[in-house]
Amino acid sequence: MMAKYFFFGLLLTAASASSSASDLEGTWTTKSRQVVTGPGFYDPINDKFLEPNLTGISYSFSADGHYEEAYYRAIANPQDPSCPKGIMQWQHGTYTANSDGSLDLTPIAVDGRQLLSDPCSSPQGAYSRYNQTEHFESFTVSVDSYHGVQRLDLKSFDGSPMHPMYLVYKPPQMLPTQTLNPVGSGKGKRQVGGDAGGRFNIKHLVNSEKVGDPNNWLWLGIFMTALGGITLLRS
C-alpha cells in the first residue's frame, strides 16, 4: 500500500513539473531574494554594479526569447577563511530552448560586466567586460512543495544541479534587451555604488576600476572556471 501511495506521489510531482519554454517567462532568484535582475543590480547608464545585501543568483526570461542574469558570489579562501573574494557578474542576450530539453544562452558580447574583488591581495578590484555563453543540460519548472511558489531547477552542462530559483516577477524585471554598451562609448573610472551589506562590501573594497578589452580577460575566465569547485553560494 505504501508503495502505491509513493508511486502516485511521483506521478503527481511529474505532472506538476514542466520543461516548456513558455514556463520560463519571469524573473527567478535564489532563496536570499536579494539578487534580482534589472536596474537594481546593474546601472548601464553609469556602468556600475549596485551591491545587494546578500549573495545569490537571478535569471530573467522574456516571452520573446531574451534573457538576463545577475550573479553575486563569494569565493572561499582555504588559506585564510576570514578573507574570501567577492565576484559580481551581469549578462543579457537571447536564449533557445532546445527540443532535447536543454537550454542555450547567448549573451551580447560587449555588454557583459564582471567585478572581482580580492581585498586581501589588492585594495582595487578588477572590473572588466564579461562574455560567457551558457549551456544547461535541462530545466524544470514546478511548484515547490515547501514554499508553494513556482520553482526553476537548472542543470549545468555537466548535469550538476544549480541552486533552485523561485519566481518573483512575471512579466520579468529586465533592462532593455538591445545592446546597452556599444564599443567606443567611452566609459570612465568610477566608484562602485549600492548599499552596504552582506559579507562582502565591494563598494568599500574597490577604489577604482576600468573596463578592459574582453580578450585580455581570457585567462581570468579560465582561472575562475578552475576555482568553480570551491565556489560558495550563500543563497
Side-chain angles (χ1 to χ4, degrees):
M1 181 64 70
M2 291 298 294
K4 183 183 295 185
Y5 283 124
F6 179 73
F7 176 72
F8 281 123
L10 290 178
L11 288 179
L12 288 173
T13 300
S16 64
S18 173
S19 57
S20 170
S22 61
D23 292 323
L24 282 172
E25 183 185 1
T27 294
W28 309 81
T29 184
T30 46
K31 66 180 181 180
S32 73
R33 297 179 182 267
Q34 296 296 304
V35 177
V36 179
T37 57
F41 185 83
Y42 173 64
D43 176 1
I45 297 176
N46 297 298
D47 195 11
K48 67 177 183 180
F49 282 115
L50 305 173
E51 185 185 358
N53 290 327
L54 296 171
T55 56
I57 301 172
S58 179
Y59 279 84
S60 284
F61 300 93
S62 69
D64 59 351
H66 295 277
Y67 85 96
E68 184 176 325
E69 67 180 72
Y71 277 65
Y72 180 28
R73 298 179 289 177
I75 304 174
N77 183 347
Q79 284 72 40
D80 185 358
S82 66
C83 192
K85 301 176 184 179
I87 187 169
M88 297 179 73
Q89 295 170 329
W90 179 88
Q91 290 191 123
H92 72 158
T94 58
Y95 72 91
T96 301
N98 303 307
S99 59
D100 62 356
S102 63
L103 189 66
D104 288 314
L105 276 55
T106 305
I108 299 174
V110 297
D111 273 358
R113 292 292 186 267
Q114 175 175 275
L115 173 62
L116 175 64
S117 176
D118 186 0
C120 293
S121 297
S122 172
Q124 294 186 338
Y127 188 64
S128 69
R129 289 194 176 96
Y130 176 72
N131 175 26
Q132 180 63 61
T133 300
E134 294 174 274
H135 175 78
F136 295 102
E137 182 182 89
S138 67
F139 65 94
T140 304
V141 176
S142 62
V143 176
D144 185 83
S145 59
Y146 182 79
H147 298 286
V149 296
Q150 283 190 292
R151 165 176 164 165
L152 172 63
D153 289 283
L154 295 171
K155 287 189 177 180
S156 299
F157 68 94
D158 59 358
S160 58
M162 293 183 60
H163 284 257
M165 288 176 278
Y166 304 92
L167 185 67
V168 288
Y169 294 109
K170 187 174 183 178
Q173 177 175 277
M174 302 171 66
L175 289 167
T177 56
Q178 70 267 25
T179 301
L180 300 177
N181 290 296
V183 175
S185 57
K187 304 289 185 179
K189 291 184 178 180
R190 61 235 165 264
Q191 294 297 114
V192 175
D195 295 330
R199 189 171 181 181
F200 301 98
N201 194 343
I202 294 179
K203 177 179 66 174
H204 294 155
L205 298 176
V206 180
N207 293 327
S208 63
E209 64 280 347
K210 185 176 181 180
V211 175
D213 187 315
N215 293 326
N216 294 335
W217 292 91
L218 171 63
W219 292 108
L220 176 61
I222 295 173
F223 173 69
M224 293 306 301
T225 300
L227 283 176
I230 59 172
T231 299
L232 296 179
L233 289 174
R234 289 184 57 206
S235 56

